[in-house]
Amino acid sequence: MKPISVGLLGIGTVGGGTFNVLKRNEEEITRRAGRPIRITAVADKNLELARQVTGGGVRITDDAFSVVSDPEIDIVIELIGGYGVARELVMKAIENGKHVVTANKALLAVHGNEIFAAAQARGVMVAFEAAVAGGIPIIKALREGLSANRIEWIAGIINGTTNFILSEMRDKGLPFAEVLKEAQALGYAEADPTFDIEGVDAAHKATIMSAIAFGIPMQFNAAHIEGITKLDSVDITYAEQLGYRIKLLGIAKMRDAGIELRVHPTLIPAKRLIANVEGAMNAVMVQCDAVGSTLYYGKGAGAEPTGSAVIADLVDVTRLHTADPEHRVPHLAFQPDQVRDLRVLPIDEVITSYYLRMRVDDKPGVLADITRILADSDISIEAMIQREAAAGEAQTDIIMLTHETVEKNANVAIAKIEALSVVNGPVVRLRMESLQ
Ligand code: HSE
């Protein structure tokens, strides 16, 4: 049978992995897809690299627009990244009737609504398994495997760079800045790691998962995003003493009033499986009404793991492209006319529990003042540590874990605690999830 013809835009790490796995496993992939899948054109600014990786057997160009306009190409793989030229190329490919496979989470989280609407109107597929958690088939699970369920929440370690940094901070007791340098030297973190360490990359991925889990549009601009740059390793140590680990979680949760969509460092019980996901690995926990709790674990980045997800999409598109568009799996899991306009809740309305650390004068009545403020805000204390003041010191740390409360209540209580003359400096506050 005539091979399906693929144009690859960008032959960097993931592009190279995709090319190599497709070649190595050609026979098995063809048996699955029903016909051979051939990369026939590659666009990259680095023509020499493209020649080296492909061995020269395909058309190589530095003009990506010539690939998306090539009448011989059936599927375009976009691995350029970012929202600039990648957006133009994806929109052009759709306009030209090509199916698109992309790993570009930033593009989909920010411009996905426009892209999927255009694809729907043109009757083409835009597949994006590689955009979330690299090689883990989480899009397939959310969109198809769990389609019987009401999805209640998703909590994911979806950024390997930050998980590596947090693991190292915990293992070695080192400060953030030092571990970041190590991560860069090892090639985990980019030279400009801003999107990773500030939580933006995780928020892109959480936004995409929220859309397909709840049947809502992409609402990246409404996500609450906090990274790990301000995290102090002393809080990792205290959390550990209380039986918790700190992870950068991407959380999407269905509430009666709307959706919680947030990324922040989060205390989770050390006994949960997901708390033990270390290094650059990713994991996503999905809580559903029928199946209960499920957990997906694997490599969230890298040449062949991400290439694996890209090729799975190529196989899907190859199998389905002759089906009527209305008989294919909907892009965002729900039929396009069934997407609901549920709002993302402002962070003030989020319900969660807290870890609070405060530096206090070590004298009578301090604890009583603090607990009175929490009681007045209807916040119940779940656990507490007070450290013995070091010899010669008149101050000590108090660490409290609270039960769940609405964030705006916690803000009021924290402001009152900070205003006490016996409390020194700001209260460190981290959110906590039991993941039960
Ligand atoms: N930069 C991402 C991470 C991988 O550190 O997990 C690509 O999504």
Side-chain angles (χ1 to χ4, degrees):
M1 198 180 222
K2 182 174 175 279
I4 198 156
S5 180
V6 179
L8 173 61
L9 313 182
I11 195 153
T13 307
V14 177
T18 302
F19 193 90
N20 290 333
V21 175
L22 202 51
K23 203 156 103 191
R24 188 170 77 231
N25 297 343
E26 186 176 9
E27 194 205 326
E28 293 236 332
I29 291 167
T30 305
R31 284 169 59 212
R32 291 187 173 113
R35 62 192 277 198
I37 299 172
R38 295 267 155 78
I39 293 178
T40 52
V42 172
D44 201 289
K45 284 211 179 87
N46 189 340
L47 295 172
E48 190 42 46
L49 174 73
R51 261 181 226 112
Q52 264 173 30
V53 176
T54 60
V58 305
R59 178 166 87 81
I60 288 168
T61 173
D62 57 4
D63 177 11
F65 284 94
S66 76
V67 174
V68 300
S69 299
D70 181 341
E72 297 301 313
I73 298 287
D74 303 299
I75 308 173
V76 169
I77 307 177
E78 184 276 306
L79 299 176
I80 294 170
Y83 341 95
V85 71
R87 177 184 178 195
E88 284 176 52
L89 287 163
V90 165
M91 293 303 283
K92 194 74 194 163
I94 292 170
E95 190 187 313
N96 289 343
K98 318 277 183 214
H99 304 286
V100 174
V101 172
T102 179
N104 193 335
K105 59 256 169 174
L107 179 66
L108 295 182
V110 178
H111 298 292
N113 299 326
E114 168 201 13
I115 289 169
F116 292 118
Q120 198 68 34
R122 192 65 178 81
V124 296
M125 286 176 270
V126 174
F128 51 96
E129 185 63 72
V132 180
I136 305 174
I138 186 64
I139 300 300
K140 194 78 169 175
L142 289 170
R143 197 165 51 182
E144 298 176 50
L146 298 172
S147 57
N149 290 263
R150 217 163 18 81
I151 296 177
E152 293 165 357
W153 52 259
I154 300 170
I157 295 171
I158 42 182
N159 183 270
T161 305
T162 46
N163 202 52
F164 171 81
I165 293 173
L166 292 177
S167 298
E168 290 289 288
M169 285 172 76
R170 185 176 75 86
D171 275 356
K172 301 183 179 158
L174 293 173
F176 168 79
E178 206 167 309
V179 181
L180 174 61
K181 275 192 212 134
E182 183 193 342
Q184 284 173 312
L186 287 170
Y188 285 121
E190 307 286 333
D192 177 5
T194 316
F195 269 22
D196 291 316
I197 61 180
E198 296 294 359
V200 177
D201 176 73
H204 287 144
K205 295 166 182 168
T207 299
I208 295 171
M209 290 196 290
S210 71
I212 58 173
F214 306 130
I216 59 171
M218 303 282 176
Q219 297 178 70
F220 171 73
N221 287 338
H224 175 84
I225 311 174
E226 281 172 42
I228 62 166
T229 51
K230 297 191 185 82
L231 193 66
D232 192 324
S233 44
V234 78
D235 294 308
I236 296 178
T237 308
Y238 283 140
E240 184 117 52
Q241 287 169 12
L242 288 155
Y244 289 81
R245 299 262 166 91
I246 299 180
K247 295 289 182 188
L248 184 71
L249 287 190
I251 298 172
K253 198 177 280 192
M254 174 68 90
R255 295 268 186 209
D256 292 339
I259 306 290
E260 290 184 9
L261 180 58
R262 47 194 170 103
V263 172
H264 50 72
T266 313
L267 271 80
I268 52 180
K271 62 186 176 207
R272 299 268 176 276
L273 269 180
I274 193 170
N276 295 284
V277 171
E278 299 289 5
M281 300 303 281
N282 280 200
V284 183
M285 200 171 167
V286 186
Q287 177 71 31
C288 300
D289 70 328
V291 70
S293 169
T294 58
L295 181 66
Y296 308 84
Y297 169 83
K299 288 188 178 153
E304 294 206 355
T306 313
S308 159
V310 169
I311 295 167
D313 278 345
L314 289 177
V315 171
D316 262 0
V317 173
T318 304
R319 285 169 176 159
L320 290 173
H321 80 293
T322 52
D324 291 340
E326 61 271 25
H327 293 141
R328 295 179 192 144
V329 180
H331 289 115
L332 296 180
F334 290 72
Q335 297 298 336
D337 60 353
Q338 295 297 316
V339 170
R340 285 199 289 162
D341 232 356
L342 276 179
R343 74 181 181 127
V344 172
L345 298 171
I347 193 69
D348 259 11
E349 291 177 41
V350 157
I351 299 171
T352 187
S353 9
Y354 296 88
Y355 162 102
L356 305 174
R357 169 168 62 86
M358 48 211 106
R359 186 88 185 141
V360 300
D361 291 352
D362 191 15
K363 63 184 194 189
V366 171
L367 198 53
D369 288 347
I370 294 167
T371 52
R372 170 54 42 212
I373 289 171
L374 291 172
D376 287 347
S377 285
D378 207 22
I379 298 172
S380 171
I381 298 165
E382 184 187 304
M384 207 198 82
I385 313 179
Q386 181 184 335
R387 288 211 5 212
E388 208 177 327
E393 276 194 22
Q395 292 181 355
T396 188
D397 285 340
I398 291 178
I399 297 96
M400 286 178 173
L401 304 185
T402 75
H403 284 287
E404 278 193 341
T405 184
V406 182
E407 177 124 342
K408 61 183 160 218
N409 278 2
N411 290 340
V412 169
I414 290 169
K416 285 186 189 162
I417 292 171
E418 285 175 339
L420 292 173
S421 62
V422 291
V423 173
N424 304 283
V427 173
V428 173
R429 166 252 301 271
L430 295 167
R431 298 181 190 87
M432 196 166 86
E433 294 288 330
S434 66
L435 303 184
Q436 259 174 334

